Amino acid sequence: MVIITRTAYNCIIANAIQHVPNEICGLLAGFIDGTTKIVRNVYFLKNVDHSPAHFTMDVAEQFDALKDMRQQHLVMLGNFHSHPATPPRPSEEDKRMAYDSVASYIIVSLASAEPVMKSFHIERGITTEEKLIIRKEKSDD
Ligand SMILES: [Zn+2]
């Protein structure tokens, strides 16, 4: 299960819409509590492919994001990218490029009228959807 705040969710959707027709991508960091991943930070990284169908994260920005996570004592939880015109499920390329079976792969699809965000676990080409919960901010509790 992955828990993300409403603010982080809205930021990712807004960024995805802003970059249409190209895909956006980035990293997610936070805490792991048992089998639950709690997203605290979202890192938007440059898609060096500038493509509607592919993404490659800028290497220097990845390095900076990982450094920031370490400084904030956060764990890398996974990554996200957008599908501007295709459904919210990993493409064949996404599966091929999914080397980290511990990571969550979040996909935002803008193919329908309403944006859809889903999270996946990908291991040896097998995709399993994970429960994704969008939670209000702590201050709203
Ligand atoms: Zn994809």
Side-chain angles (χ1 to χ4, degrees):
M1 180 164 73
V2 179
I3 298 175
I4 189 165
T5 62
R6 171 66 56 186
T7 305
Y9 173 86
N10 288 342
C11 279
I12 294 172
I13 301 277
N15 194 270
I17 291 170
Q18 199 183 353
H19 286 82
V20 166
N22 293 334
E23 291 193 3
I24 60 154
C25 54
L27 297 174
L28 303 165
F31 305 99
I32 297 178
D33 182 8
T35 56
T36 303
K37 291 172 176 162
I38 302 154
V39 177
R40 279 278 177 273
N41 283 8
V42 177
Y43 299 87
F44 292 96
L45 306 189
K46 193 189 295 156
N47 177 4
V48 295
D49 292 343
H50 300 289
S51 159
H54 306 276
F55 74 95
T56 304
M57 294 182 202
D58 184 279
V59 173
E61 289 183 3
Q62 277 189 68
F63 182 81
D64 288 344
L66 292 169
K67 197 168 135 189
D68 188 73
M69 288 173 205
R70 270 199 305 274
Q71 281 167 354
Q72 298 196 46
H73 306 287
L74 299 176
V75 179
M76 222 274 281
L77 300 176
N79 61 63
F80 63 92
H81 73 282
S82 63
H83 282 179
T86 53
R89 56 171 178 261
S91 65
E92 288 309 312
E93 183 179 332
D94 291 338
K95 290 186 213 171
R96 248 196 334 272
M97 302 299 282
Y99 297 116
D100 188 353
S101 66
V102 177
S104 289
Y105 293 86
I106 287 184
I107 296 177
V108 180
S109 169
L110 303 176
S112 313
E114 286 296 314
V116 180
M117 186 184 288
K118 290 189 175 182
S119 183
F120 299 90
H121 167 87
I122 306 174
E123 192 165 1
R124 281 177 261 117
I126 310 288
T127 296
T128 317
E129 191 178 339
E130 300 177 313
K131 193 175 172 124
L132 177 67
I133 292 179
I134 298 147
R135 194 160 72 178
K136 287 192 290 183
E137 308 306 313
K138 260 209 164 83
S139 55
D140 297 339
D141 288 351

